Amino acid sequence: PSHSESRAEQSSSHLAAMADEDQPKKRTFRKFSYRGIDLDKLLDMSNQDLMELFRARQRRKFSRGIKRAPITLLKKLRMSKRETSYGEKPEAVKTHLRNMVIVPEMIGSVVGVYNGKQFINVEIKPEMIGHYLAEFSITYKPIKHGRAGMAGKGAFIPLK
């Protein structure tokens, strides 16, 4: 019994010592990198170099040429970002381009992605690079199975 008490005392004193040391330590954020390349370098890259980092489907899309619509969307995003003051979110830019690949330039912007009924605002974060806009705007309402006591009654529930 005396052995376990000493161990408990040791661990508690050790924890107290650690708490004293770690007081001024601030939380550090993990630096974002896409495929081993950090965000600053990604922003400076040309479309050709960026294309090499993407997965096959996205590479194919870029290699077949960038059409006018995505370029227009990027211009609008740049404009909305330019007009906002520092520390505020830019105004949402509405779009139907669900097949647009998210590129580093779009980070920090807010895009209203159409889901067939309404525009769903998506704030673009670094983790979204290489994904499509459509992945962040769900087109259906997820069904909720198994509501207890609904069998046969439908929506007619008497008020008690």
Side-chain angles (χ1 to χ4, degrees):
S2 62
H3 180 68
S4 63
E5 283 177 352
S6 63
R7 182 175 285 161
E9 287 170 11
Q10 284 176 346
S11 65
S12 64
S13 63
H14 181 69
L15 285 171
M18 279 179 61
D20 295 338
E21 291 173 355
D22 294 343
Q23 212 63 38
K25 189 181 177 196
K26 287 186 177 70
R27 199 167 146 231
T28 53
F29 291 104
R30 184 179 63 83
K31 193 141 173 66
F32 175 79
S33 67
Y34 178 77
R35 306 258 169 128
I37 296 168
D38 53 331
L39 197 54
D40 313 331
K41 289 193 180 115
L42 283 173
L43 290 165
D44 298 334
M45 275 186 165
S46 69
N47 269 357
Q48 198 63 34
D49 297 334
L50 196 63
M51 194 181 93
E52 301 301 315
L53 293 175
F54 285 155
R55 293 204 169 103
R57 172 50 55 184
Q58 285 84 331
R59 274 202 308 271
R60 176 177 162 81
K61 187 178 169 124
F62 274 98
S63 67
R64 291 176 66 85
I66 301 165
K67 308 285 188 290
R68 178 184 279 151
I71 292 171
T72 313
L73 175 65
L74 282 171
K75 278 183 188 167
K76 285 181 181 174
L77 287 172
R78 270 187 222 121
M79 215 161 60
S80 75
K81 218 185 232 182
R82 203 180 308 128
E83 288 169 1
T84 54
S85 59
Y86 181 76
E88 286 182 26
K89 283 185 186 175
E91 199 161 311
V93 177
K94 291 182 175 182
T95 183
H96 279 238
L97 298 175
R98 295 172 58 81
N99 64 351
M100 173 86 178
V101 177
I102 295 172
V103 292
E105 188 187 344
M106 297 163 75
I107 290 170
S109 304
V110 179
V111 184
V113 186
Y114 194 62
N115 72 352
K117 190 176 180 182
Q118 73 248 18
F119 292 92
I120 294 173
N121 283 349
V122 177
E123 187 185 348
I124 296 183
K125 298 179 175 72
E127 294 81 40
M128 298 179 178
I129 294 173
H131 289 270
Y132 289 95
L133 284 177
E135 294 178 53
F136 306 100
S137 168
I138 195 164
T139 57
Y140 60 91
K141 187 175 165 206
I143 55 171
K144 295 163 182 74
H145 286 291
R147 281 282 178 269
M150 289 292 283
K153 291 189 191 88
F156 304 106
I157 302 164
L159 295 168
K160 291 181 174 79

